[in-house]
Amino acid sequence: MRALPVGDDALLVEVASGEQAQALHAELLRRRAEGSLAVREIVPAARTVLLDGLADPVRWASELTSSEVPPAPPRARELIELPVRYDGPDLAEVAAHWKVSEREVARIHAGTEFTVAFCGFAPGFGYLTGLPARYDVPRRATPRTAVPAGAVALAGPYTGVYPRSSPGGWQLIGTAEAVLWDHARAPAALLSPGARVRFVPVGDA
């Protein structure tokens, strides 16, 4: 674990894996909830956690890098279900990469419980983990200039759902019927770090 100062009152903590980042995020949230950590924001990413608004970043850098982080506790949050049609233009390519049929891709994906590891890229976009490593897929060699809102996509170990139309290089396997970001909703983002997610097939999937 390595802790790097960011400005006067923030700290970026680097760890070795996504699992460790999720465990650290959960532990920091626990400490803030019990009152032993005063911090404005705790923001997880792929292998880092940012603590913004720390009163004493130097002390916390020393404490965190010299302490053991317990494994993340079991997820107790409500399960979010996202209806999905497995009709993406890259479904056949993903099936070939996995060496299974297109219908089996849908079965495997829908049979997985995902966790939102972190958010980024666009408002409402969550990086979901849960598929075994053997199902990692490469990004497209040539990104699309426009991916439609609701597209369910795979890249590396992650699943994501595009909250709005934007360029993207992920493999598109389906279309989700959900509003990922809504300014009139509180909170605006449907998905947040730590959320449990399942995809529910609709139509002919």
Side-chain angles (χ1 to χ4, degrees):
M1 186 186 301
R2 186 169 68 143
L4 305 172
V6 180
D8 296 329
D9 62 353
L11 202 62
L12 185 69
V13 184
E14 296 181 341
V15 293
S17 68
E19 291 78 12
Q20 291 180 18
Q22 291 179 48
L24 178 60
H25 179 237
E27 173 63 9
L28 294 172
L29 289 176
R30 184 192 68 78
R31 293 190 187 191
R32 182 169 67 176
E34 73 177 12
S36 63
L37 171 62
V39 62
R40 185 168 56 248
E41 285 192 88
I42 304 173
V43 184
R47 290 182 177 85
T48 63
V49 179
L50 175 70
L51 292 89
D52 188 27
L54 278 175
D56 192 349
V58 174
R59 178 178 74 82
W60 277 104
S62 176
E63 179 169 335
L64 289 173
T65 54
S66 62
S67 63
E68 289 286 331
V69 176
R75 303 295 182 184
R77 299 177 60 174
E78 181 180 355
L79 181 67
I80 297 171
E81 294 187 341
L82 299 180
V84 59
R85 297 188 309 278
Y86 286 98
D87 58 358
D90 300 321
L91 186 61
E93 187 172 338
V94 170
H97 187 78
W98 287 6
K99 297 181 173 57
V100 300
S101 68
E102 294 181 25
R103 185 171 292 275
E104 184 69 0
V105 171
R107 188 195 67 78
I108 293 168
H109 193 261
T112 301
E113 182 176 302
F114 293 89
T115 299
V116 181
F118 59 96
C119 297
F121 169 64
F125 188 94
Y127 289 76
L128 281 59
T129 58
L131 286 170
R134 65 182 179 276
Y135 296 127
D136 288 7
V137 297
R139 293 169 183 260
R140 290 178 54 82
T142 303
R144 292 180 170 88
T145 56
V147 174
V152 178
L154 307 179
Y158 301 114
T159 289
V161 183
Y162 283 76
R164 64 186 183 193
S165 178
S166 62
W170 290 31
Q171 307 283 358
L172 308 184
I173 64 168
T175 307
E177 299 177 359
V179 178
L180 279 297
W181 181 265
D182 183 354
H183 289 286
R185 184 171 58 199
L190 179 63
L191 306 179
S192 60
R196 300 163 55 221
V197 178
R198 271 194 184 277
F199 292 89
V200 180
V202 296
D204 297 330

